[in-house]
Amino acid sequence: MRRIKLLFLGMGVVMGIQLPHSIAFAQEAPKIQSEFSRPYHPEADAQKDIDSLLKLAKKEKKNVIIQAGGNWCVWCLRFNDYIHKTASIDKLLKSRFLYYHLNYSKENKNEAVFQKYAPEGGKLGYPFFIVLDINGKTLHIQESGSMEKDKSYDEEKVLKFFNTWVAK
């Protein structure tokens, strides 16, 4: 009986520590999300959009970067904001890649598209990135956590990732 009481006491302490943090995050997330643009479109026909990008990729000899995530994902929105506000990254992406935001949300999970290009991608967390060559072949799938720095991203690591996948 004593062990059970200690177990419940321990669980209460852990929950007492976690609850304020969870409440604070739940209150902070909508505020953070409202600061950023919404690049994901649940209503889009993702496969049709990607097919169009691949036609353009062939003409321009560029690889396609797909950022998988959703407008519900704070880190997805942070990454999108970061790449556009960081001049070196924005310039590289605009000159050497075609970029697409692949939505994953309760409104549209895009299951067929994820199955086609990154069947194991959902195990990585969001955002994650899919690199496609000009023929639509998946060259690489990349998680984003290794590029984080504090509550943002590390410019050197992000540039290294993108530079690795510039079309040759």
Side-chain angles (χ1 to χ4, degrees), residues 79 82 89 92 129 142-150 152-165:
F79 192 85
Y82 180 79
I89 297 169
L92 175 65
F129 307 93
Q142 175 71 43
E143 52 77 38
S144 62
S146 62
M147 295 184 277
E148 293 175 8
K149 181 178 180 182
D150 301 321
S152 187
Y153 291 89
D154 183 282
E155 183 176 0
E156 186 178 317
K157 291 176 182 177
V158 173
L159 281 170
K160 182 179 178 183
F161 164 63
F162 287 130
N163 276 313
T164 299
W165 298 105

Side-chain angles (χ1 to χ4, degrees), residues 20-130:
H21 174 73
S22 297
I23 291 170
F25 181 77
Q27 291 171 344
E28 179 188 17
K31 291 177 192 173
I32 293 169
Q33 288 171 319
S34 69
E35 296 173 16
F36 301 119
S37 66
R38 305 269 191 230
Y40 296 93
H41 300 284
E43 73 286 352
D45 182 338
Q47 188 60 66
K48 183 179 177 184
D49 292 348
I50 293 168
D51 290 343
S52 294
L53 281 177
L54 290 170
K55 286 179 187 174
L56 187 57
K58 278 188 179 186
K59 287 180 188 173
E60 296 185 9
K61 296 179 175 51
K62 295 178 178 179
N63 285 340
V64 175
I65 301 284
I66 298 174
Q67 180 179 325
N71 294 325
W72 52 267
C73 168
V74 172
W75 282 99
C76 300
L77 302 180
R78 280 181 178 152
F79 192 85
N80 181 65
D81 186 65
Y82 180 79
I83 62 174
H84 293 300
K85 288 184 177 175
T86 307
S88 59
I89 297 169
D90 188 53
K91 181 180 176 185
L92 175 65
L93 290 175
K94 287 178 178 173
S95 66
R96 304 302 300 268
F97 293 96
L98 298 176
Y99 205 89
Y100 186 74
H101 290 88
L102 177 57
N103 181 75
Y104 178 86
S105 67
K106 62 183 177 186
E107 296 86 11
N108 186 352
K109 294 182 180 181
N110 281 305
E111 291 170 315
V113 177
F114 280 103
Q115 186 62 38
K116 180 175 183 177
Y117 298 111
E120 302 294 317
K123 294 178 182 178
L124 299 175
Y126 294 93
F128 70 88
F129 307 93
I130 305 164

Side-chain angles (χ1 to χ4, degrees), residues 127-147:
F128 70 88
F129 307 93
I130 305 164
V131 182
L132 303 179
D133 70 7
I134 62 172
N135 297 308
K137 178 184 174 203
T138 301
L139 298 175
H140 183 69
I141 298 170
Q142 175 71 43
E143 52 77 38
S144 62
S146 62
M147 295 184 277

